[in-house]
Every structure is written in C-alpha cells, then in structure tokens.
C-alpha cells in the first residue's frame, strides 16, 4: 500500500465505530468461506498437477491410488501432499464422533423439496468441515427396486427422475462448503443380500432409463467430483472393473473428470480394476498395489499412462478444492450446530407422510388430550436412522415420547410402554417340554459322529457380538418338544449373528431358514396350536464363528403384549403407537423383511382393539406389511427415519402445529409378493456359478456368484402399477394433508417440434382452511409408442406452499429427455414422433388434469 493510502486508511479507522470492523470481519470471513468452494479446472491447475506428477516416482503414484488407515488418502512426502480425510455420511457425518443427524435418504425424497436438498447438503458440508473431513461418502442414489432392500433408507426413491432432481442440489450444497461429495453405489447395488457375489444381468435400456439416470444427473448437472463403485457384478464383471460402466458410460458418455473410488473392500482384481477405470482403492491397496501393478506395468499389461491418469484425477480434484493451500478445519464451522438442528427439524417436518386419516382423527387437539399413551418399540429411545455405515450418533436425539411430552407441556400426562419383551426374554422365557438335546457334529454338513449333550435352552444368543471365525468345522442340531398351554397363535422366533446359518423344522417341516450371508435379522413365523398340542422342533445350526450365537424361542402371541401397554391404552385419551424398523432390523449388509419385526402385529391388534383413538406411526426405508391391522387403524403416519428431531417433528404434525406435507417416494405395496421384483429378486434357481479371482495373497479365491436377473425390466414401482392397472395399498407420490387442494387450468401446446422445450402450466389452489404444501406432479405418457413403455413416467414436479384460498400458477418445462426412450438399436436416446399425454396431479394414480401434445 502506498504511504498516502496508508495514512488515509489510518485516519478513516480513527473515525469509524468499532462495530464496523466486527461487521467487516464477518463479511471477510463469509467471503473467505464462499471462496473455499471448488474452482473450475483451469490451465493453472493443470500445470500444477502435471508438475506434481513429474516429481513422483512410479512407487509414489501407485501409493496414491490406494487408501490408508481406513478413511484417508495417502500422503506423498515427495510432493508435500498431505493425506486427506473421509467420512461416511447419508444422514450425518458419522465416522468421527457425535454429529447432527438429519432426515436424509428416503426421508429427503419424501420432502420432494429441491431447496431442502440443497440446505441438507450445505449442513452436511459444514459438519464435515468442522471435523476436517475432505470427502463426504454420500449421497446414495440407487433405486428402491424392492421394499426389502437393506439400504433403501439411505437411498432416495423408486424413480430416477425424482432421484436426479434431488441429488443435484444436494451435491451442490455439500461442495459449496469446500467438501467433495461422493455419489454411490455405482451401479445396480439394489439389494444387500450377498452383495459381494451377486451378478446383476440387465439390458442396456433398463440401465439407461431406470438405474443410471440419477448418477448421470449427479455427474452432468451436479458436477459431482467423486463416484463410488458398488460391490456387485453387472453383466459378468464387478463394478470396480466394469469397462462398460466406468470407461464407456461414466468417463466416456458423461465425461466424468473426477475420482472413481471403490466401496470398502469392493476391489477383486488389481490389474482389471486399473485397466477399467478405478482410480482409488479403499480402504487400502489390497489389489492395486506395487506387488500387483509393478510387474503388470513392466510387462505392458497396464500402461503407466493409465496410472498417471488416476493420479492426475486425484491431484486436480484436490487442487480445485484448495486442500493443499488451506486447512480443512476452520473455527467458523461449529462441531455442535444449533443452526443445523433447525435444518434437521425442517427435513423431518417436511418428510412425514400422512397415509390414512379416517374421520379426520388428526390433528389431535392438545386442549382435549389430557392423557396420551406412547407405546411401541420405536417410542423410546429415539430411532434416528437405519444401521450400518450410515448410522449417525446424534448429540441430543428427540424420541417420540420426549417430543410429545415437550409439546404438550406439564398439564398433560404422557404414559410410555415398550409393549413387547426384548428378544432375549423370549428365548429365556421359553419352557421346552423337557430338556433340549444337542448333537455337535465335526463337520459343516451334520456328517460324522456327533457329541451329544442336553441343556435347558436352544443356543446362547449373543446379539451382534463378534467372535473369531471357527477354527474347525462344526454343525449343531438341537431337538426339543414344545407343548401349548392354550389354543391360539404362537410366535416361533429364531436369530443368530454374522454369517451363521440355520434352519428350523416343526414336525419335520421346514418353517424358517437363514443362509450364510454377510448379515442377518431375526426370523419368525406364526404357529396355530391347539390347547395341549405338542410339536417337535429341530434346529440345524452351522456357526461361522468359534462359539454359539443362536437363539430360538416360542411364545403365545397374546402374552407378548405387556400388561402396562394394555392398561395405558385403556386409560389414555389417545394412543400413539410407534412401530417399524430400527438399526438392528434394517441396515447395511443384509436385506430386511417386508413383514414388521416380530411381535409388532400382535401389539398393533391388541392396542387398536383397546383404544379406537390410536395413531400408528411407522419407521423404515419404505413400504411394509400392515395387512393384519390396517383396517382397524384410523390414522397412519410414515416417519421413515426422521433424524435427531424426529420426535419433535412427529409431535408437531400429530397435534396440528405443522401440516403433513410428505409424499411417498415409493409405492407402498400390499404384500411382498405383489411387488414386481418379487419373482426375480433372489436370483435364478440353479443359476449360481463359481468364479475364481486373483487374491491379494497370490493364491486367489473362489466365489459362488448368485445370478440376479432384472426380469422386471422397466416395470419398477409405480410404472408397473399404472401399466397393469393394478393398485398398491398407497401409490407413489401419495400423501394426505389437513387441508385440500385443487388442480385447474392446464395449458400445454397442442403441437411442438420433436426435441424442443415443451412448457406445461396449471394452477394449484388451497381449498381448505389451513396453510399447507402440495407437490404438483407431472407425468408423461406415450400411447402411440412403437416400443414397450410404462404407461406413465414422472418428468416434472413442483412443491408449493399455499395459504387458505391462495392459488399459485405453476410452469414446468419438459426437455427432450422427458419424451425419450433409450434405443438399443441406435445406442442413444430417441423420440418417436406422435401423440403424448401430459398428466398433472398429486400422485401417480391421481392425475385429474391431462392434455395431448403432438411432437412433430
């Protein structure tokens, strides 16, 4: 600064008040914060990356393309490159201690709110910065093809357009905070069972129209800077070494310039992965390491330029974010954030979906409800999200009990009962008719001479306790008799852990089975027994671990419901019944059941019979079986997994402080058998094959590959229901409100040039007495199509908040893709000219407005 300017600045500073400098400092900090968002690629960044590459030895290059210490990239001292930190994140930045836990995944999709998606991404980005995290390992955008998919709760919806519309602002929000978002799991990782060894066989059109568009949107519109490959195989090749997915589509068709990383331990062949697009093996270089790659490079099997491309992708991305020139942590990002609690509450409020409200029982009047009973396994403690790598520990999660109690205040009486016993109590409380015979065989197939013993129970259930793998083969057969004290329905419950396998037979007939898999949930069935009836129970158990983790029990269903739950339900003015899944019954590594977890149907039937003013709440990643009691329930709310503020949000909706505005992001099936994926989901009988892949120990491994044929093709979710004319229990896009809305005045051009923009407009009016939000959904039909197409497909939506009597004019632009299908013959998107129908309404099945558009 020149002397005259320095003197002028000193004089000015003596005249201005102190608060001016506080404001100026805050403004400077905000500018600095904003400047930490990534900058575009430039010649300067390219030159710097190339200069760093030239200084690296081949050993350094190979080192950089493998992770270290579980959640870090490798440091390269020769170019002064530090290591960079990662964190799992679907609902919260969960790897590094307590955090803000948001309503993410399926709950985000239920908001149908692009603005909130951006706010959620920004909140996660701030939380990441507070923990010095550079890479956020989310969002997940796989399709909810089936309701039993174990990680549906982490993903978004059954619809590719909705997924794409929400993932773009989410990514932009995360990356605006100077954090790399990682879209996952690429691709077709739509079930958790046997995920390492499943081969998805699918045609290209189905991939392009259903399973890839959300990833395409993340790359081409969201400009995501990292993509994570999945565990499974696609058409014969693991995703991490799949040329079609990684080179032809991701880096070819879509022009992806960022980092393609593996899921943790999802790499199976170092040379194949290196040659087919994988840039970064996580959590460490089991396969893409010097032992494997150096000789491959020397022999010409892998080109050094291939390794250079991976290194440059990593360096360019890290330079664009400024990771090498600034600390990732900054004190303006708090570890505990009150502002982000507000974001978490907003997401929970917007996602809660009202599915049934007979007699307008909701909202409850807090002035009239003096005693409320909150009953059920999910009433307390707070259920924040599902299980696995996305499970976040919130600082102060609000349970349903606490949320209702806090809203009603000291003048109301809140009663709480879990309503059901713990699983261990069922096992311990089973009174077998005599001793349990235990035969332990020196093999895994019940062959050989067993050692026999007796004991009072079946197994020794240890929950999720880890035990070392068995050193010797072993299989155990338990046999016992059970005598029913009274006639009625009995629960037969069995559970093990990890990769243990078992099957249960009653009177020689198999009734339960758990195969060897990465994870599992309790299995159960109902038995109708007469008074005094005796049954023979046999359990064949093959433990994976060096110990016993099996539990088996039988209980009379009416006795499962606790006495305090019955008493509280009888005395309450209203009951809130909290059912559904939790991190133990829905999570990574295993699929979940379509039926509710054991005992919950009996609890629902009992409470609903006692108190007709019962509101049922569900938690879970999508639809579930409610058939046993839905006709008895006057009100049903889907909470999904609402994050740390779920209890507060549910209370505000139940008692009318907030209008329910969530819409189903999935079809809610009546039964698992009704779902279009049912007959295809668990593989082709007899279709499994054995695959040998090179091992990290040089000896290799044999894998039994399960063949999963996507025979349902385009008929996923509502596409199936609207095409066949059948109906689910509740359709995609459905959600009730405390007010009412009307759609009117549709305007669409009668004709348009093929490939041009088509604008559709209409009015939405709040015809009720309270403020509310409606999601106007636009579907496109192609009745003159020459190829098979779904009857309708979502191609636009707009969420509007309206005061009573207010009307909003909505315009939605449809681009060429909205009318296109993927032509395998021409290998591209194609529009067949002719008549199209645009339909507008509030769900996939309720579209009161429609108009014809002819594309010429």
């Amino acid at each position: 600064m020149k002397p005259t300017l320095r003197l002028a600045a000193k004089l000015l500073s003596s005249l201005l008040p102190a608060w001016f400098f506080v404001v100026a400092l805050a403004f400077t900090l905000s500018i600095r914060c904003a400047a930490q968002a990534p900058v575009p690629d430039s010649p300067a960044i390219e030159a710097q990356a190339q200069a760093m590459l030239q200084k690296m030895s081949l050993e350094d290059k190979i080192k950089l393309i493998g992770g270290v210490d579980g959640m870090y990239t490798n440091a390269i001292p020769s170019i002064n490159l530090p290591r960079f930190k990662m964190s799992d994140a679907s609902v919260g930045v969960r790897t590094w201690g307590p955090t803000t836990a948001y309503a993410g995944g399926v709950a985000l999709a239920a908001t149908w709110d692009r603005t909130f998606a951006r706010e959620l991404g920004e909140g996660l980005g701030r939380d990441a910065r507070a923990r010095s995290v550079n890479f956020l390992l989310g969002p997940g955008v796989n399709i909810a093809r089936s309701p039993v998919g174990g990680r549906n709760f982490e993903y978004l919806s059954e619809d590719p357009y909705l997924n794409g519309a929400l993932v773009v602002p989410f990514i932009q929000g995360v990356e605006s905070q100077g954090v790399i978002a990682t879209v996952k799991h690429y691709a077709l990782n739509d079930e958790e069972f046997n995920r390492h060894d499943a081969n998805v066989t699918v045609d290209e059109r189905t991939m392009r129209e259903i399973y890839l568009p959300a990833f395409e949107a993340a790359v081409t519109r969201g400009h995501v800077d990292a993509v994570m490959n999945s565990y499974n195989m696609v058409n014969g090749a693991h995703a991490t070494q799949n040329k079609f997915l990684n080179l032809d589509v991701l880096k070819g068709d879509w022009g992806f310039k960022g980092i393609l990383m593996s899921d943790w331990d999802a790499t199976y062949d170092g040379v194949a992965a290196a040659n087919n697009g994988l840039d970064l093996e996580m959590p460490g270089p089991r396969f893409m390491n010097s032992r494997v790659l150096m000789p491959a490079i020397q022999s010409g099997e892998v080109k050094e330029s291939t390794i250079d491309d991976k290194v440059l992708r990593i360096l360019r991305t890290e330079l664009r974010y400024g990771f090498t020139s600034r600390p990732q942590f900054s004190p303006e990002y708090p570890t505990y954030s009150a502002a982000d609690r507000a974001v978490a509450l907003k997401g929970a409020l917007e996602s809660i979906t009202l599915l049934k409200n007979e007699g307008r029982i909701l909202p409850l009047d807090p002035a009239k409800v003096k005693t409320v009973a909150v009953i059920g396994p999910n009433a307390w403690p707070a259920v924040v999200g599902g299980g696995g790598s996305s499970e976040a520990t919130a600082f102060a999660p609000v349970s349903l009990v606490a949320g209702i109690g806090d809203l009603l205040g000291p003048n109301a009486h809140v009663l709480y009962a879990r309503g059901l016993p713990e699983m261990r109590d069922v096992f311990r409380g089973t009174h077998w008719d005599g001793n349990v015979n235990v035969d332990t065989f020196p093999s895994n197939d019940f062959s050989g001479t067993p050692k026999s013993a007796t004991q009072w129970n079946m197994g020794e259930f240890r929950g999720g306790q880890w035990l070392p793998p068995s050193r010797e083969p072993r299989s155990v057969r338990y046999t016992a008799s059970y005598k029913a004290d009274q006639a009625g329905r009995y629960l037969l419950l069995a559970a093990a852990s990890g990769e243990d396998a078992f099957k249960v037979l009653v009177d020689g007939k198999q009734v339960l089975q758990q195969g060897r898999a990465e994870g599992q949930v309790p299995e159960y069935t109902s038995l109708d027994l007469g008074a005094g009836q005796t049954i023979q129970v046999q359990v064949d158990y093959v433990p994976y671990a060096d110990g016993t983790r099996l539990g088996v029990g039988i209980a009379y269903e009416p006795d499962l419901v606790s006495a305090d739950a019955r008493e509280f339900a009888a005395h309450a003015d209203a009951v809130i019944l909290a059912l559904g899944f939790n991190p133990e019954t829905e999570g990574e590594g295993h699929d979940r059941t379509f039926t509710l977890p054991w005992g919950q149907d009996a609890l629902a039937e009992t409470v609903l019979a006692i108190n007709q003013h019962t509101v049922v709440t569900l938690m879970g990643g999508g639809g579930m079986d409610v058939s046993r009691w839905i006709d008895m329930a006057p009100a049903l709310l889907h909470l999904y997994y609402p994050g740390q503020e779920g209890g507060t949000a549910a209370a505000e909706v139940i008692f009318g402080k907030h209008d329910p505005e969530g819409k189903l992001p999935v079809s809610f099936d009546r039964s698992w058998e009704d779902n279009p994926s049912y007959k295809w989901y668990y593989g082709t009988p007899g279709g499994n094959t054995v695959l040998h892949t090179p091992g990290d120990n040089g000896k290799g491994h044999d894998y039994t590959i399960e063949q999963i044929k996507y025979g349902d093709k385009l008929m996923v979710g509502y596409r199936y229901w609207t095409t066949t004319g059948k109906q689910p229990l509740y359709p995609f896009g459905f959600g009730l409100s405390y007010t009412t809305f009307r759609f009117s005045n549709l305007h669409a051009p009668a004709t348009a040039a093929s490939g041009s923009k088509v604008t559709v407009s209409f009015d939405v009016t709040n015809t009720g007495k309270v403020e509310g939000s409606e999601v106007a959904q636009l579907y496109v039909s192609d009745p003159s199509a020459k190829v098979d197409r779904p009857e309708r497909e979502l191609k636009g939506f707009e969420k509007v908040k309206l005061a009573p009597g207010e009307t909003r004019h909505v315009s939605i632009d449809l681009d060429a893709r909205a009318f296109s299908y993927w032509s395998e013959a021409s290998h591209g998107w194609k529009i067949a000219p002719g008549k199209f129908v645009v339909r507008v309404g509030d769900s996939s099945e309720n579209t009161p407005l429609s108009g014809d558009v002819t594309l010429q």
Side-chain angles (χ1 to χ4, degrees), residues 654-675:
I654 289 169
F655 288 94
K657 189 175 178 181
H658 188 92
D659 183 63
E661 57 184 276
K663 298 285 187 176
L664 282 175
V666 292
S667 301
F668 199 114
D669 302 323
R670 297 177 186 275
S671 70
W672 165 215
E673 292 78 7
D674 282 348
N675 186 272

Side-chain angles (χ1 to χ4, degrees), residues 604-799:
E605 288 176 330
T606 301
V607 171
L608 286 164
I610 293 172
N611 193 315
Q612 296 180 354
H613 296 92
T614 295
V615 177
V616 182
T617 66
L618 300 176
M619 289 190 184
M624 57 202 78
D625 188 359
V626 298
S627 59
R628 273 180 58 174
W629 47 264
I630 186 60
D631 291 339
M632 302 170 64
L636 180 64
L637 284 165
H638 206 325
L639 309 185
Y640 310 98
Y641 287 113
Q644 67 181 41
E645 307 298 327
T648 301
E652 290 192 11
V653 170
I654 289 169
F655 288 94
K657 189 175 178 181
H658 188 92
D659 183 63
E661 57 184 276
K663 298 285 187 176
L664 282 175
V666 292
S667 301
F668 199 114
D669 302 323
R670 297 177 186 275
S671 70
W672 165 215
E673 292 78 7
D674 282 348
N675 186 272
S677 71
Y678 172 73
K679 64 183 283 189
W680 310 100
Y681 190 76
Y682 282 117
T684 306
N688 293 354
T689 59
V690 176
L691 177 72
H692 181 85
T693 61
D696 57 326
N697 58 6
K699 298 179 180 179
H701 300 282
D702 288 335
Y703 295 92
T704 300
I705 302 301
E706 183 183 18
Q707 303 296 336
I708 308 294
K709 182 180 179 181
Y710 276 35
D712 43 338
K713 296 191 175 183
L714 304 177
M715 294 296 114
V716 176
Y718 74 87
R719 286 169 167 78
Y720 166 80
W721 294 108
T722 55
T723 301
T724 61
K726 301 176 182 179
Q727 291 184 330
L729 183 60
Y730 300 110
F732 173 81
F734 175 77
L736 299 172
S737 171
Y738 296 152
T739 188
T740 55
F741 299 94
R742 182 180 68 245
F743 295 88
S744 60
N745 299 328
L746 178 73
H747 293 283
T751 61
S754 180
S756 64
K757 182 178 72 174
V758 174
T759 299
V760 179
S761 64
F762 50 89
D763 291 338
V764 184
T765 302
N766 183 343
T767 55
K769 298 180 179 180
V770 298
E771 183 182 64
S773 294
E774 179 60 290
V775 178
Q777 302 162 38
L778 190 156
Y779 297 83
V780 174
S781 300
D782 184 3
S784 58
K786 300 298 189 293
V787 297
D788 290 336
R789 299 195 70 176
E791 191 276 336
R792 64 187 62 186
E793 296 181 282
L794 181 73
K795 297 300 179 181
F797 67 88
E798 190 71 30
K799 187 168 189 175

